[in-house]
Amino acid sequence: MLNVEDWAEIRRLHRAEGMAIRAIARRLRISKNTVKRALASHEPPKYQRPPKGSIVDAVEPQIRVLLAEFPDMPATVIMERVGWQRGKTVFCERVAQLRPQYKPADPVSRTMYEPGELAQCDLWFPPVDVPLGAGQVGRPPVLVMVSGYSRVMTARMLPSRQSPDLLAGHWALLSGWGRVPRALVWDNESAIGQWRGGRPQLTEPMNAFRGTLGIKVIQCRPGDPEAKGLVERANGYLETSFLPGRVFAGPADFNGQLADWLVRANHRRHRRLECRPVDRWETDRAAMLVLPPVDPVTGWRSSTRLPRDHYVRVDSNDYSVHPSAIGHRVEVLAGLDQVVVTLAGTEVARHPRCWADHQTLTDPAHAAAAAEMRRARHLTAVRPVETTVEQRSLADYDRMFDLDLGGEIA
């Protein structure tokens, strides 16, 4: 067989020196046919050892029978079924070689995203205790969003995963972008929707939210994490790059540190894109939809008649209201940061949102106003009641006790 050195020399003599095939054959003492084959081949010759038989060949028909009926059967079980007593490695390699012939392949395609097309969303639960106030600590969820085209990432910790807080978190992040992707990709988060009867069904609040924005919400099929691999990798990146070595004084401190880190993260070179996410952001953002003229309905909203104790409940906490609103219907609006109560458009209470559970928050001004109203009520003079009382004759009592003796004393 012609070796690589002779192959290279034959091609040099012919191409560079202009030697004829017969002359090359005489110089190298090889046949003209060998020279012709070398000149016709544009790749160097490769030595291939003739295949040898394997000790697994004898049981291959039995392996094929089992794989044809049970394509997912583990190699160790097949080894037991065929009575294999020799090397495990060579047997498993043969099973791995034969299995694709009986089991359909499940390839993972590289998905390409157009500018402004979509953003993938998920909740990340950081494995770190965050002080929530009132001596409580917890691990609140973090809403993470990743734009498909640019891979720009944004995130924010939320008080809860309930629908009012989750939609308020969406609006906070999208408002920060100043634009809205044409679609949001979600898994089967209960506040977003569920797959029922083989069809995705969004919750009513989520439908109202996407309707105001004019976008689509794509729900992944159950058990299909690859459908939102971008945000799943972002969650892992947050856990391994942002979280280590950090201590948080509370949710506000967590979000502050996270915002600073996200700026640096979006300026780092992305391995798959071979550029920084911010380098593609303007193109991505320009293709998104503009924000709607009216803000979507988010947060905790309720209307109630204020009771005598002048407190309203949001989630599991009670917030005081100015007692002048007692007996009137008030509107309660709670966002991610504040709780506001209004009466006929006039603000009668404003509190920072409490992240702890089962707490009572009292504004000193509300407590003082209530005490003053109670004091004024107690000092109010009570008007005397004018009632006519009938006076009974004393002779009636004399007759009652047999004292009517006609004026004689016995």
Side-chain angles (χ1 to χ4, degrees), residues 179-201:
R179 291 274 183 149
V180 184
R182 300 177 185 275
L184 299 178
V185 179
W186 261 102
D187 56 14
N188 289 282
E189 181 67 29
S190 60
I192 303 299
Q194 297 285 340
W195 274 79
R196 294 174 181 170
R199 296 178 60 253
Q201 294 184 3

Side-chain angles (χ1 to χ4, degrees), residues 13-77:
L13 293 174
H14 182 72
R15 293 172 60 85
E17 304 294 338
M19 292 183 64
I21 294 176
R22 182 176 297 179
I24 296 174
R26 282 199 306 267
R27 171 176 291 194
L28 299 181
R29 296 182 180 180
I30 56 178
S31 68
K32 291 185 292 182
N33 289 336
T34 302
V35 176
K36 291 178 181 179
R37 285 196 299 269
L39 294 177
S41 175
H42 298 287
E43 295 182 356
K46 296 180 180 178
Y47 174 72
Q48 295 182 345
R49 181 176 297 174
K52 293 183 179 180
S54 171
I55 56 175
V56 191
D57 292 343
V59 295
E60 181 175 320
Q62 298 172 259
I63 297 174
R64 289 182 176 274
V65 171
L66 290 173
L67 289 177
E69 187 175 0
F70 308 103
D72 292 317
M73 180 179 286
T76 53
V77 178

Side-chain angles (χ1 to χ4, degrees), residues 186-256:
W186 261 102
D187 56 14
N188 289 282
E189 181 67 29
S190 60
I192 303 299
Q194 297 285 340
W195 274 79
R196 294 174 181 170
R199 296 178 60 253
Q201 294 184 3
L202 295 175
T203 61
E204 185 175 345
M206 191 65 202
N207 265 323
F209 181 79
R210 78 176 186 89
T212 302
L213 299 181
I215 63 173
K216 181 180 181 180
V217 176
I218 302 172
Q219 289 180 257
C220 303
R221 290 184 175 275
D224 186 16
E226 296 174 354
K228 55 185 186 68
L230 298 182
V231 72
E232 295 287 354
R233 286 191 291 272
N235 290 347
Y237 186 37
L238 283 163
E239 194 158 325
T240 58
S241 183
F242 164 70
L243 209 54
R246 293 182 183 268
V247 178
F248 307 103
D253 182 39
F254 184 99
N255 282 328

Side-chain angles (χ1 to χ4, degrees), residues 104-348:
D106 183 20
V108 178
S109 61
R110 178 181 293 187
T111 306
M112 306 299 292
Y113 300 102
E114 297 296 327
E117 179 183 356
L118 57 80
Q120 295 184 4
C121 311
D122 196 17
L123 289 178
W124 169 54
F125 295 87
V128 59
D129 291 331
V130 178
L132 304 179
Q136 298 182 20
V137 296
R139 298 182 175 184
V142 176
L143 174 60
V144 183
M145 296 177 59
V146 180
S147 181
Y149 176 75
S150 63
R151 307 298 201 272
V152 164
M153 176 172 51
T154 184
R156 177 167 179 158
M157 178 172 279
L158 307 179
S160 75
R161 66 193 301 177
Q162 298 185 65
S163 180
D165 288 329
L166 192 56
L167 294 182
H170 276 79
W171 182 237
L173 297 182
L174 294 174
S175 299
W177 279 357
R179 291 274 183 149
V180 184
R182 300 177 185 275
L184 299 178
V185 179
W186 261 102
D187 56 14
N188 289 282
E189 181 67 29
S190 60
I192 303 299
Q194 297 285 340
W195 274 79
R196 294 174 181 170
R199 296 178 60 253
Q201 294 184 3
L202 295 175
T203 61
E204 185 175 345
M206 191 65 202
N207 265 323
F209 181 79
R210 78 176 186 89
T212 302
L213 299 181
I215 63 173
K216 181 180 181 180
V217 176
I218 302 172
Q219 289 180 257
C220 303
R221 290 184 175 275
D224 186 16
E226 296 174 354
K228 55 185 186 68
L230 298 182
V231 72
E232 295 287 354
R233 286 191 291 272
N235 290 347
Y237 186 37
L238 283 163
E239 194 158 325
T240 58
S241 183
F242 164 70
L243 209 54
R246 293 182 183 268
V247 178
F248 307 103
D253 182 39
F254 184 99
N255 282 328
Q257 295 189 44
L258 179 59
D260 293 339
W261 180 85
L262 285 170
V263 174
R264 297 195 300 272
N266 288 325
H267 280 77
R268 293 175 180 173
R269 186 176 181 84
H270 195 281
R271 181 181 60 83
R272 178 64 61 82
L273 300 179
E274 295 186 353
C275 68
R276 303 177 305 170
V278 293
D279 296 335
R280 296 163 62 111
W281 176 236
E282 287 305 318
T283 301
D284 196 8
R285 184 176 178 276
M288 295 181 182
L289 302 177
V290 297
L291 297 179
V294 178
D295 291 354
V297 177
T298 62
W300 300 81
R301 294 172 181 262
S302 63
S303 177
T304 184
R305 194 172 299 279
L306 189 67
R308 289 182 59 193
D309 65 356
H310 59 92
Y311 280 83
V312 295
R313 174 158 292 188
V314 175
D315 200 2
S316 65
N317 298 314
D318 294 328
Y319 299 84
S320 68
V321 181
H322 198 281
S324 61
I326 291 176
H328 298 279
R329 184 162 292 277
V330 296
E331 304 295 328
V332 183
L333 173 60
L336 300 177
D337 301 315
Q338 291 186 328
V339 176
V340 179
V341 184
T342 58
L343 171 61
T346 301
E347 184 177 301
V348 290

Side-chain angles (χ1 to χ4, degrees), residues 403-410:
L403 297 178
D404 186 7
L405 301 178
E408 295 182 5
I409 301 177

